[in-house]
Amino acid sequence: MMGALQRGKDAASDAGSVVKGAVIGTVEGVGTFTAITGDVLRYATRAAIRGTRAMDGDVATAAQKAIEAGTEAGEQAGLDHDEAARASAAGVLDATDEMDDTIANAVVRSIAGTASDIRALVEQRLRKPAVMLVGSNRSNAEQLSQSLKQQKYDMRIATSLSELDTVLQ
């Protein structure tokens, strides 16, 4: 993957086309040894985005092309379109875990319209996880809650079993 991306960069080729070719080539190559699964697509698209980032390439464009390529290669290997698109998008999103928030958010925005089936993945990635604080001291829980809310976490507080039951419902 890295070799194909580097040669494309050296030749001053269109980054999106290079990524697309690298993903398809990688998946086809793997397919000569084993069955193509969603995991193969996921790892291929993840590698393409990581490689593009390592070479300071246009990661947002690469993300779109990686999903297109993964979906196309998956369909050629006999996978369902939706399964191939989801696996390809998951790989791209996995790669964003290793990037700063600005670049990761640009990638997420760039792929938001790629396929309606991956919209849930994108929304899940943008949403911060919920944090539940359980303790007997409401004051301490409120202070911690304020700090976490500033970091955009969705907060729930319970200081008794009945409040815990209510929050869990």
Side-chain angles (χ1 to χ4, degrees):
M1 178 72 68
M2 284 299 291
L5 294 172
Q6 185 62 51
R7 282 190 293 283
K9 181 181 178 186
D10 292 346
S13 297
D14 169 47
S17 298
V18 171
V19 166
K20 189 169 182 176
V23 169
I24 290 173
T26 298
V27 172
E28 288 176 350
V30 169
T32 63
F33 297 102
T34 188
I36 300 301
T37 64
D39 283 341
V40 170
L41 300 176
R42 184 177 187 155
Y43 296 134
T45 56
R46 179 177 178 258
I49 300 309
R50 289 180 70 198
T52 301
R53 176 68 183 129
M55 293 185 298
D56 295 322
D58 181 354
V59 181
T61 299
Q64 292 172 340
K65 293 300 183 178
I67 291 172
E68 288 176 20
T71 303
E72 181 181 321
E75 286 179 312
Q76 288 175 358
L79 296 179
D80 175 69
H81 173 85
D82 293 344
E83 178 185 0
R86 279 191 301 272
S88 300
V92 167
L93 293 173
D94 286 349
T96 65
D97 288 340
E98 303 157 11
M99 298 177 193
D100 64 60
D101 285 345
T102 303
I103 295 171
N105 288 335
V107 168
V108 169
R109 282 190 305 276
S110 77
I111 66 171
T114 303
S116 61
D117 296 332
I118 63 170
R119 188 164 307 277
L121 283 172
V122 172
E123 289 172 358
Q124 180 181 6
R125 176 61 97 204
L126 290 174
R127 185 179 35 196
K128 291 279 187 167
V131 175
M132 181 181 302
L133 299 173
V134 180
S136 60
N137 187 324
R138 181 167 292 283
S139 176
N140 288 346
E142 290 288 344
Q143 286 177 343
L144 181 56
S145 173
Q146 290 304 317
S147 174
L148 291 170
K149 280 182 182 178
Q150 289 175 348
Q151 296 176 31
K152 309 265 191 268
Y153 285 92
D154 185 19
M155 298 300 306
R156 305 285 189 269
I157 297 174
T159 57
S160 68
L161 288 177
S162 63
E163 283 184 0
L164 180 60
D165 285 341
T166 302
V167 168
L168 290 175
Q169 292 174 357

